């Protein structure tokens, strides 16, 4: 990614021409290129014969070069009302082309940039969600939102390069704000070929109409693909990755009757995670076997390569008590205080010293059903204690906890079944940085899945999952767990 505050990827002219070649045929009479750089899209629009061409660019050297292809305003795009402040000619279709900055608000903060939008939490995420990163966003996304809001009265066609995650977010933005989407396509590009960037990106084209045609988007595997590979977007107000596949399992998209938990967050790997063979001077009751995403994905779950230092058993617990109850741990934490006190995340502020997050009774439950959030396939694993200690997980993992092995085995078998796999394939965007999230897992209606499953086959599958564990269950025990879960969940409905 570009190491500067402007997210400066200059678009090759050949790519700009290829983008223009994908446009739906319309009477384009005016074109806007926000953050136009050296004006590749303005030049492509001139070759297309669009008479009025306006660019906006903050960097003087770039603006001077772009002026050869249209009228260029040298100023920050954030200070303009793009619908009212630009001298648009009457008549004809408005076309917006461009490649807005591939830089995030977190990047701008790191660069100390003044070239920022006026709001830092534009998605209006509340409290902890905003503080832990959900409000971090691409500047490109903010520019898209600005275009969609300020130009909606012009009913433009907007065709700009962006990350695929930004494209998905924008469908939700349009639905939330009632922007009448008449059509949308996303054509994937090879960002490494064009920009040397290892990021999933594409050409998002949106046409704003007078009435809503739905908030779905056709996905094409390349700029010149003739037909879409699938459609993604909002169905019944919910974002899905594959609209066609979703229709086959939509009934299981609801709300899980159990709460998925995230593993322990501590932001101090070198201090809090120790090799399993380390002879640390820490009380054993504060050391737990730790599995990470790679362990879950590859099925290495019966032994642990690392141990996790846990100074708390519940969120917000007073850690100064450790000086008396666990003096060796307290001395260890004091020894590494600089690293722990220097953790930058805002979540540690106004918390007991040396705090961790993702901690509670569920952390210490003996049995868990866990999955990594980081891989491009969901591998659900049944976890049992290792050397008599409950297994802990890092914060890239998600899990359900249980005090009963048979229940945990049934849940694992249910999640490993074909219906769940089909539902997840319809819901998950595998190109995301973290494809599996708690929010997504909570959508899997386990009660509905259990209600439609073959209970005898499910019980047999659950029993087989325990074969390699220190403790095993029989199909009969699994069957009783199936009946118990069914009764509990039926009582909730």
């Amino acid at each position: 990614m570009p190491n500067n505050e402007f997210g400066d990827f200059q678009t090759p002219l050949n790519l700009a021409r290829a983008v223009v070649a994908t446009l739906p045929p319309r009477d384009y009479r005016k074109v806007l290129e926000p953050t136009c750089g050296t004006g590749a899209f303005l030049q492509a629009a001139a070759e297309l014969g669009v008479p009025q061409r306006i660019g906006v660019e903050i960097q003087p050297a770039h603006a001077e070069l772009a002026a050869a292809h249209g009228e260029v305003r040298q100023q920050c795009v954030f200070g303009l009302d793009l619908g009212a402040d630009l001298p648009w000619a009457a008549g004809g279709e408005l076309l917006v082309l461009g490649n807005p900055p591939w830089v995030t608000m977190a990047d701008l903060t790191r660069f100390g940039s003044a070239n920022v939008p006026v709001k830092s939490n534009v998605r209006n995420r509340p409290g902890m969600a905003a503080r832990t990163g959900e409000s971090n966003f691409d500047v490109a996304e903010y520019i898209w939102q600005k275009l969609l809001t300020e130009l909606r009265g012009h009913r433009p066609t907007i065709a700009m390069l962006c990350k695929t995650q930004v494209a998905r977010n924008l469908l939700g933005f349009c639905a939330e704000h009632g922007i009448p989407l008449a059509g949308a396509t996303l054509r994937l590009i090879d960002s490494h070929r064009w920009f040397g960037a290892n990021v999933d990106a594409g050409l998002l084209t949106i046409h704003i109409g007078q009435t809503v045609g739905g908030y779905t988007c056709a996905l094409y595997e390349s700029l010149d693909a003739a037909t879409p590979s699938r459609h993604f977007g909002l169905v019944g107000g919910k974002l899905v990755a594959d609209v066609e596949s979703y229709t086959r399992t939509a009934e299981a998209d609801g709300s899980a009757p159990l709460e998925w938990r995230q593993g322990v967050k501590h932001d101090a790997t070198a201090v809090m995670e120790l090799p399993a063979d380390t002879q640390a001077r820490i009380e054993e009751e504060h050391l737990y076997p730790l599995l990470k995403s790679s362990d879950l994905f590859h099925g290495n779950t019966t032994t642990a390569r690392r141990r996790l230092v846990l100074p708390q058993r519940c969120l917000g617990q007073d850690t100064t008590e450790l000086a008396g109850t666990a003096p060796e741990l307290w001395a260890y934490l004091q020894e590494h205080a600089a690293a722990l006190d220097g953790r930058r995340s805002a979540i540690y502020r106004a918390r007991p010293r040396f705090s961790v997050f993702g901690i509670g009774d569920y952390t210490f439950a003996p049995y868990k059903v866990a999955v990594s959030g980081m891989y491009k396939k969901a591998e659900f694993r049944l976890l049992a204690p290792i050397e008599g200690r409950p297994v802990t997980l890092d914060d890239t993992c998600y899990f359900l906890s249980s005090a009963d092995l048979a229940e945990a085995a049934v849940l694992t078998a249910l999640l490993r079944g074909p219906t769940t796999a089909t539902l997840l394939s319809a819901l998950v965007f595998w190109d995301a940085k973290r494809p599996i999230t708690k929010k997504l897992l909570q959508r899997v209606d386990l009660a509905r899945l259990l209600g439609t499953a073959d209970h005898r086959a499910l019980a047999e599958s659950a029993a087989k999952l325990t074969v390699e564990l220190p403790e095993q269950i029989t199909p009969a025990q699994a069957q009783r767990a199936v009946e118990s879960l069914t009764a509990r969940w039926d009582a909730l409905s």
Side-chain angles (χ1 to χ4, degrees):
M1 300 303 294
N3 189 30
N4 65 71
E5 63 176 295
F6 300 109
D8 200 352
F9 280 138
Q10 290 305 304
T11 308
L13 181 58
N14 283 345
L15 178 55
R17 287 169 173 158
V19 165
V20 168
T22 71
L23 296 173
R26 297 183 184 277
D27 181 25
Y28 302 115
R29 307 301 296 167
K30 44 204 173 186
V31 68
L32 167 66
E33 184 180 2
T35 63
C36 66
T38 57
F41 286 100
L42 290 177
Q43 183 174 347
E47 294 172 356
L48 187 64
V50 181
Q52 186 185 22
R53 303 179 299 279
I54 297 177
V56 180
E57 174 55 45
I58 193 173
Q59 299 184 77
H62 287 351
E64 184 177 354
L65 292 172
H69 310 294
E71 176 189 344
V72 177
R73 294 209 169 189
Q74 187 201 319
Q75 63 185 106
C76 178
V77 71
F78 303 137
L80 280 172
D81 182 321
L82 298 171
D85 294 344
L86 300 177
W88 295 118
E93 297 270 350
L94 171 61
L95 173 63
V96 182
L97 296 170
N99 182 14
W102 294 16
V103 64
T104 66
M105 284 298 295
D107 293 329
L108 295 182
T109 300
R110 177 165 52 89
F111 294 135
S113 175
N115 179 41
V116 295
V118 294
K119 294 168 68 178
S120 60
N121 184 14
V122 298
R123 296 183 194 150
N124 297 315
R125 295 294 192 261
M128 188 61 71
R131 294 173 69 187
T132 54
E134 284 193 43
S135 64
N136 189 30
F137 64 101
D138 267 54
V139 171
E141 185 175 338
Y142 180 88
I143 292 173
W144 264 99
Q145 292 177 0
K146 184 176 176 67
L147 290 163
L148 291 164
T149 302
E150 295 176 3
L151 294 177
R152 64 185 294 174
H154 294 259
R155 296 202 294 274
T157 296
I158 306 174
M160 299 201 300
L161 302 174
C162 64
K163 297 176 187 175
T164 53
Q165 179 63 61
V166 169
R168 295 193 286 271
N169 292 343
L170 289 168
L171 286 182
F173 177 84
C174 289
E176 181 181 353
H177 293 271
I179 294 172
L181 228 64
T185 63
L186 178 63
R187 293 178 175 272
L188 302 182
I189 64 167
D190 184 343
S191 58
H192 188 270
R193 170 194 171 192
W194 292 109
F195 302 113
N198 292 315
V199 61
D200 293 295
L203 170 67
L204 177 62
T205 302
I206 286 178
H207 179 63
I208 299 178
Q210 290 181 299
T211 58
V212 175
Y215 294 105
T216 61
C217 182
L219 178 70
Y220 293 79
E221 297 300 323
S222 67
L223 284 175
D224 56 2
T227 57
S229 59
R230 57 183 169 88
H231 292 77
F232 67 91
L234 278 77
V235 178
K238 298 178 179 181
L239 183 65
V240 301
D242 188 330
V243 173
E244 291 81 4
S245 295
Y246 180 73
T247 58
R248 300 196 296 271
T249 52
E251 288 187 353
D253 180 15
S255 178
L258 302 172
E259 184 172 0
W260 285 90
R261 301 289 186 172
Q262 193 168 357
V264 178
K265 178 178 175 61
H266 51 69
D267 294 308
T269 300
V271 178
M272 307 301 276
E273 298 180 11
L274 306 175
D277 57 0
T278 297
Q279 300 300 312
R281 295 195 54 173
I282 297 173
E283 287 82 359
E284 282 295 318
E285 62 265 31
H286 291 280
L287 290 171
Y288 290 84
L290 173 68
L291 298 181
K292 300 175 77 70
S293 270
S294 59
D295 298 316
L296 290 184
F297 185 75
H298 295 293
N300 301 321
T301 58
T302 57
T303 60
R305 296 176 295 117
R306 304 187 71 79
R307 293 196 292 174
L308 180 66
V309 178
L310 282 184
Q312 297 168 300
R313 288 190 67 90
C314 61
L315 187 65
Q317 183 178 5
D318 183 6
T319 53
T320 60
E321 299 173 352
L322 295 171
T325 61
E328 290 185 325
L329 171 58
W330 184 248
Y332 177 82
L333 296 173
Q334 294 286 346
E335 180 184 349
H336 296 282
L340 294 169
D341 293 341
R343 293 177 292 180
R344 297 181 61 182
S345 175
I347 65 173
Y348 299 106
R349 298 173 192 164
R351 296 283 180 175
R353 199 179 184 193
F354 312 135
S355 282
V356 297
F357 283 80
I359 192 83
D361 290 343
Y362 48 86
T363 308
F364 306 97
Y367 306 106
K368 298 177 176 74
V369 185
V371 64
S372 165
M374 306 302 290
Y375 286 84
K376 298 188 184 299
K377 184 180 179 183
E379 292 285 3
F380 294 94
R381 305 294 185 186
L382 173 61
L383 306 182
I386 294 177
E387 296 180 357
R389 304 283 282 167
V391 170
T392 59
L393 298 153
D394 72 15
D395 66 343
T396 66
C397 306
Y398 303 91
F399 64 94
L400 298 171
S401 61
S402 178
D404 181 71
L405 175 58
E407 177 181 280
V410 168
L411 292 171
T412 307
L414 194 61
L415 287 162
R416 292 171 69 95
T419 305
T420 307
T422 302
L423 176 63
L424 288 176
S425 71
L427 296 181
V428 178
F429 293 92
W430 296 110
D431 61 328
K433 182 177 180 181
R434 186 178 295 212
I436 305 294
T437 64
K438 174 178 176 175
K439 183 177 180 180
L440 181 139
L441 291 167
Q442 287 294 156
R443 289 174 61 174
V444 179
D445 190 338
L446 297 170
R448 180 62 64 92
L449 289 173
L450 183 60
T452 58
D454 179 330
H455 287 187
R456 181 183 297 274
L458 182 66
E460 291 176 353
S461 296
K464 290 177 182 177
L465 291 172
T466 68
V467 169
E468 295 184 2
L469 299 181
E471 180 185 358
Q472 290 85 43
I473 61 169
T474 64
Q477 289 173 303
Q479 182 66 41
R480 288 194 290 272
V482 169
E483 293 167 358
S484 174
L485 284 169
T486 300
R488 278 164 47 194
W489 292 346
D490 283 348
L492 295 175
S493 61

